[in-house]
Amino acid sequence: MRLGSPGPILFCQTRIGRHFRPFAIYKLRTMVTDAARLGPPVTAGTDRRVTGVGRFLRKTKLDELPQLWNVLRAT
């Protein structure tokens, strides 16, 4: 997030859905920009790529809030 690191607030990723149709999901960005290039695809408890704001969002589960939008948009 802009408070923890430069870059966009939302993270968009393409996933494969029902009937193998691709769709875009949106998430709050909790890691530094280009995190996939900087380390492994799975994050551990103290991954240095997670921003300070990102840690708070993950701990409080607020980073999952955009998932509601993804589900409502798909129905």
Side-chain angles (χ1 to χ4, degrees), residues 5 8 12 14 21 26 32-33 39 43 51 53-54 56 61 65 70:
S5 72
C12 181
T14 301
R21 286 195 305 207
Y26 296 93
V32 297
T33 305
T43 58
T51 66
V53 174
F56 171 78
K61 304 292 186 200
L65 195 55
N70 292 321

Side-chain angles (χ1 to χ4, degrees), residues 1 7-13 25-30 66 69:
M1 316 233 1
I9 292 175
L10 290 177
F11 169 74
C12 181
Q13 191 174 48
I25 64 164
Y26 296 93
K27 296 179 156 191
L28 292 175
R29 186 175 63 86
T30 60
W69 173 253

Side-chain angles (χ1 to χ4, degrees), residues 36-72:
R37 186 178 54 80
L38 300 173
V42 178
T43 58
T46 59
D47 195 315
R48 297 172 71 185
R49 298 171 296 163
V50 178
T51 66
V53 174
R55 262 185 224 90
F56 171 78
L57 291 172
R58 287 178 174 202
K59 186 175 183 178
T60 59
K61 304 292 186 200
L62 290 172
D63 64 322
E64 300 295 337
L65 195 55
Q67 296 296 345
L68 177 61
W69 173 253
N70 292 321
V71 169
L72 291 175

